[in-house]
Amino acid sequence: MTHQLSSPDFHGEEKEQVTSIGQIKPELYRPKGDQGEGKQGDTCGKISFLLRYAFNTEQLVVKILKALDLPAKDANGFSDPYVKIYLLPDRKKKFQTKVHRKTLNPVFNETFQFGVPLNELHSRKLHFSVYDFDRFSRHDLIGQVVVDNLLDFSEGSGDKPVWRDIVEGTAEKADLGELNFSLCYLPTAGRLTATIIKATNLKAMDLTGFSDPYVKASLVCDGRRLKKRKTSIKKNTLNPTYNEALVFDIPNENIESVSIVIAVMDYDCIGHNEVIGMCRVGSEADGPGREHWAAMLANPRKPIEHWHQLVEVMYYKPMLTSSLSRQFC
């Protein structure tokens, strides 16, 4: 069981330290292509946190306090930092702080809990990843911290701040999240139902550290989008639950010639809605998408549920309208 505490029970919080004005920062004068790409092992600031183990509930309680002297990732001489935290080896269970704008010394003061039995504590490691938020592109990895020997921390009261150097690492693969949905095809009715169940660990698109996600499914043939359906919007979450059915009418003789492109979108009431990540299912899709489609066809009238890793935006080159495309218009 994991959840974020709304009222931290740690004491002795420290105020943010202000750096001196006019201090020269060499990282601001590096060529743009060199920013954030130093060799692995370089330090890039420090992070402070509190750790304690709650024996009665078997919870590892982590409070991220602040970071100091982070490198500037943006042209304005600052970064927009936030922290992701995992309890290795399980990377699917993670927490994330809020984003702090235009600072190299963010104060977080956010508390999280990981459910872990005491007899497993010696084999687990706490992993911090510090990122620079970017609204319109992939977030930059600033650096990482790995804390082992967690059993040692269980013996303390958890009121003494722990400081660790943030170690610069190579860029991680884009972590956009996963989507769980089922496919069911009725050959006699020529009807395909995609039931969007839920998504987990979506990329944060808003400065609050959350997104407003909805799912859009498009029926595609010969590179042309024929029909589209979408779910409701879930506000301020990275782990939305939908349980909503999206229905497409596809004649049985055409089912092998189409695919479904599913995009998880972030709703924006002011600007344009942004794509968080996508996946594709169909006879010509890659790996998991092709396997899911084949399992659906092999089991008519039965919902087949799979998890899909979201990837970055897919582009489908428009092609000449075929006779099949005209059937759906």
Side-chain angles (χ1 to χ4, degrees):
M1 178 178 178
T2 57
H3 61 277
Q4 181 175 350
L5 296 181
S6 58
S7 54
D9 56 351
F10 286 103
H11 302 286
E13 298 176 1
E14 300 177 69
K15 295 183 178 179
E16 181 177 10
Q17 296 181 8
V18 180
T19 56
S20 58
I21 298 176
Q23 181 180 1
I24 295 177
K25 297 182 175 63
E27 64 270 18
L28 301 184
Y29 301 93
R30 292 185 297 182
K32 184 176 181 180
D34 293 339
Q35 290 191 10
E37 297 184 0
K39 63 182 181 180
Q40 187 169 3
D42 293 345
T43 57
C44 44
K46 295 177 179 290
I47 191 169
S48 173
F49 52 91
L50 298 173
L51 274 180
R52 69 177 181 87
Y53 187 76
F55 288 91
N56 56 336
T57 58
E58 293 192 321
Q59 300 277 327
L60 181 67
V61 185
V62 185
K63 181 173 184 179
I64 302 176
L65 297 176
K66 61 182 178 180
L68 290 177
D69 301 325
L70 297 180
K73 291 288 185 176
D74 301 332
N76 59 14
F78 295 101
S79 292
D80 300 323
Y82 68 93
V83 180
K84 287 183 182 180
I85 181 173
Y86 307 85
L87 188 61
L88 300 177
D90 183 8
R91 290 183 63 89
K92 288 191 175 182
K93 300 291 185 181
K94 70 178 179 183
F95 293 112
Q96 179 175 312
T97 68
K98 294 179 180 178
V99 178
H100 290 255
R101 293 294 306 274
K102 297 181 181 180
T103 179
L104 304 181
N105 302 285
V107 175
F108 299 104
N109 287 331
E110 295 188 49
T111 304
F112 309 97
Q113 289 186 349
F114 293 93
V116 54
L118 181 62
N119 59 1
E120 294 182 11
L121 205 56
H122 70 282
S123 62
R124 310 298 290 271
K125 295 182 180 180
L126 205 56
H127 184 276
F128 299 86
S129 293
V130 184
Y131 284 88
D132 171 51
F133 175 89
D134 194 316
R135 181 70 175 85
F136 300 106
S137 65
R138 182 181 301 183
H139 301 181
D140 294 323
L141 176 66
I142 294 176
Q144 304 171 88
V145 172
V146 177
V147 180
D148 51 14
N149 299 321
L150 296 178
L151 198 58
D152 296 343
F153 292 96
S154 67
E155 301 172 356
S157 60
D159 56 359
K160 183 177 180 181
V162 179
W163 285 94
R164 289 287 189 274
D165 288 331
I166 300 170
V167 179
E168 188 172 8
T170 55
E172 296 178 335
K173 183 180 178 181
D175 187 7
L176 304 178
E178 295 178 294
L179 182 65
N180 181 222
F181 61 90
S182 68
L183 296 175
C184 180
Y185 186 62
L186 281 64
T188 53
R191 181 176 301 128
L192 186 150
T193 302
T195 301
I196 309 301
I197 302 171
K198 60 184 175 181
T200 61
N201 299 329
L202 296 179
K203 174 184 174 182
M205 302 294 284
D206 302 329
L207 290 173
T208 58
F210 295 101
S211 294
D212 300 323
Y214 67 94
V215 179
K216 180 171 68 175
S218 301
L219 177 65
V220 175
C221 176
D222 290 340
R224 182 184 179 196
R225 186 175 70 184
L226 306 176
K227 296 181 181 179
K228 64 180 179 179
R229 305 283 186 268
K230 60 184 179 179
T231 68
S232 59
I233 300 167
K234 305 298 181 182
K235 304 289 286 186
N236 296 319
T237 179
L238 301 180
N239 301 282
T241 297
Y242 297 98
N243 291 319
E244 298 181 35
L246 308 179
V247 180
F248 296 92
D249 292 323
I250 307 172
N252 191 33
E253 62 268 23
N254 298 330
I255 191 66
E256 294 281 1
S257 304
V258 298
S259 60
I260 304 290
V261 176
I262 299 180
V264 180
M265 310 287 296
D266 174 50
Y267 173 77
D268 194 322
C269 62
I270 300 176
H272 296 291
N273 298 343
E274 300 282 343
V275 178
I276 297 175
M278 307 180 74
C279 63
R280 181 189 182 196
V281 290
S283 299
E284 298 181 357
D286 296 330
R290 183 173 59 251
E291 294 168 6
H292 195 178
W293 192 262
M296 174 196 73
L297 295 179
N299 298 273
R301 296 175 294 278
K302 180 181 178 182
I304 305 297
E305 178 185 339
H306 279 199
W307 281 95
H308 291 262
Q309 185 73 41
L310 297 177
V311 299
E312 293 181 320
V313 178
M314 304 171 180
Y315 293 97
Y316 293 95
K317 184 179 179 181
M319 300 176 66
L320 293 176
T321 305
S322 66
S323 59
L324 174 61
S325 298
R326 288 193 292 271
Q327 292 181 38
F328 286 97
C329 295

